[in-house]
Amino acid sequence: MCAVCGCGTSPVEGHKHEAGSHGHGHGGGLDDDHHHHHGHDHHSHDHHNRDGEHDHHHAEDGSVHCRQGIAGVHVPGMGRERIIQVEREILSKNDAYATENRRYFVRQGVFALNFVSSPGSGKTSLLVRTISELKERVTINVIEGDQQTSNDAARIRETGARAVQINTGKGCHLDAHMVGHAVEDLAPEPGSVLFIENVGNLVCPAAFDLGEAHKVVVLSLTEGEDKPLKYPDMFAAADLMILNKADLLPHLDFDVGLCITNALLVNPRLQTLIVSARTGEGMEALYGWLEASAVRQDKRPKVV
Amino acid sequence: MHEMSLMESVIEIICETARLNGARRVKSVRLDVGVLSHVDPDALLFCYEAVRHGTLAGRAKLEINRIAGKGWCLDCSKTVALKERFGACPHCGRHRVQMTAGDELKIRDMEVS
């Protein structure tokens, strides 16, 4: 099992995990030897030392031992203990995978959205309705993230759309590496839309970039208008807030204005749409937002 | 509990760096963690205990350097202390404050032998 990315514990449904055969390049099977080759630069040592001193050995196992003297040679007073400046973001590994996913999406013209919310806000219902109503106009594929079960993927497939389920096991969020695997399996059509439904959790998914064009936070009216203040990271990371279950508004004390005010405190650029995935109220506005945003991504200069 | 994935990532990065530098083991690691970042240092320490075993960093001491929150208040035109993420300016009470420090989540350095 991969202790780092959790490949073993986070199966992508229907995903065949053959070492070395998929693009994410798992070499070796042991935890310690597990490298992810994602094309980011991690070789910072000087390979061609002009002084004629080649100060590292390439051992048989492929590891590089820098400045390691010939066995037994030790200069008195010169300890081997030393400080290495690392200066790397803890999330740099995830971000490298995310960059790779984003590059793929832009190159293929795939418009990817990362849907985040607490459990039960109606994400899946929202996606099901959107797919049913838009399927004549655009191809939509879905990556479903849940700790367990493939119930959500099954609900999506009933609409005729293709869906891949990722089970994170103990994990509380999707990361860019899992999504990379799922995208390989899904192979989304050029010009299609990809919905990534994250694990229901208003905290952890905020920190993990998946390579999406936008994070969309779904908040149902029954959750209360102070959620943006209680869980600011998620609302700060999102570009669009969808207030769902609008059909319940007459029965609740929910103050829509106050909720939007709270959300704008943590993210002044956040856009808001009010919808009901059950009755269909407000959904046209969401479709308009989708199409406009997808076109905007396409018009952006493509750096490949 | 995304602290677990973060610490797995820390272990992966430091073991890789240690190997590239020909180190046999990691003696200590220092992280910079801002007080306004989305992680809890105690949870980081707890998860660290769980993920370090059996690696080059199996016995490495973890030190977490807390970085205080600061922001630039557009109305006061100065740097102010920030107690919470997206909090108000302690002087004028308004929210037009751009965070400039306290969001760090970084591996600073490590000691190897």
Side-chain angles (χ1 to χ4, degrees), chain A residues 225 241 243 249 254-264 272 274:
Chain A
E225 56 274 272
M241 171 167 78
L243 294 178
L249 198 53
F254 190 88
D255 183 340
V256 172
L258 180 59
C259 181
I260 295 176
T261 306
N262 289 340
L264 290 176
T272 302
I274 303 167

Side-chain angles (χ1 to χ4, degrees), chain A residues 4 90-95 97-98 102 114 116 172-179 196 198 201 203-212 215 234 237, chain B residues 1-9 38-39 105:
Chain A
V4 176
I90 295 176
L91 284 165
S92 57
K93 289 263 170 189
N94 181 74
D95 292 347
Y97 294 128
R102 183 165 289 116
N114 177 3
V116 290
C172 51
H173 57 268
L174 291 178
D175 64 39
H177 187 234
M178 300 172 188
V179 169
I196 304 166
N198 218 313
N201 175 345
V203 183
C204 309
F208 293 83
D209 183 7
L210 305 180
E212 72 277 351
K215 275 197 180 73
M234 192 61 89
Chain B
M1 280 295 280
H2 65 300
E3 280 83 359
M4 191 60 100
S5 340
L6 294 179
M7 288 321 287
E8 284 173 349
S9 186
H38 44 73
V39 300
L105 198 56

Side-chain angles (χ1 to χ4, degrees), chain A residues 22-36:
Chain A
H22 60 67
H24 276 256
H26 285 237
L30 298 172
D31 286 356
D32 262 5
D33 291 335
H34 188 126
H35 297 287
H36 292 275

Side-chain angles (χ1 to χ4, degrees), chain B residues 2-35:
Chain B
H2 65 300
E3 280 83 359
M4 191 60 100
S5 340
L6 294 179
M7 288 321 287
E8 284 173 349
S9 186
V10 167
I11 292 288
E12 194 188 355
I13 292 171
I14 63 175
C15 289
E16 186 181 290
T17 310
R19 266 194 298 268
L20 286 171
N21 283 278
R24 278 169 304 169
R25 66 190 188 98
V26 181
K27 296 186 72 183
S28 66
V29 189
R30 276 203 293 181
L31 307 183
D32 281 347
V33 176
V35 295

Side-chain angles (χ1 to χ4, degrees), chain B residues 13-113:
Chain B
I13 292 171
I14 63 175
C15 289
E16 186 181 290
T17 310
R19 266 194 298 268
L20 286 171
N21 283 278
R24 278 169 304 169
R25 66 190 188 98
V26 181
K27 296 186 72 183
S28 66
V29 189
R30 276 203 293 181
L31 307 183
D32 281 347
V33 176
V35 295
L36 307 179
S37 69
H38 44 73
V39 300
D40 174 14
D42 289 336
L44 285 183
L45 283 167
F46 179 82
C47 295
Y48 178 68
E49 294 302 320
V51 296
R52 67 175 162 156
H53 296 293
T55 72
L56 289 183
R59 275 187 279 170
K61 205 174 93 203
L62 179 67
E63 210 180 294
I64 296 182
N65 194 18
R66 301 292 275 154
I67 312 255
K70 278 188 204 155
W72 176 260
C73 175
L74 293 173
D75 293 312
C76 301
S77 292
K78 64 177 179 185
T79 296
V80 297
L82 267 188
K83 286 262 183 299
E84 57 187 276
R85 205 181 169 108
F86 316 110
C89 167
H91 301 292
C92 68
R94 285 194 247 180
H95 279 265
R96 304 210 312 149
V97 184
Q98 288 171 336
M99 183 165 51
T100 53
D103 193 30
E104 295 77 4
L105 198 56
K106 193 164 126 173
I107 307 169
R108 177 191 281 211
D109 54 21
M110 62 193 205
E111 192 184 359
V112 298
S113 64

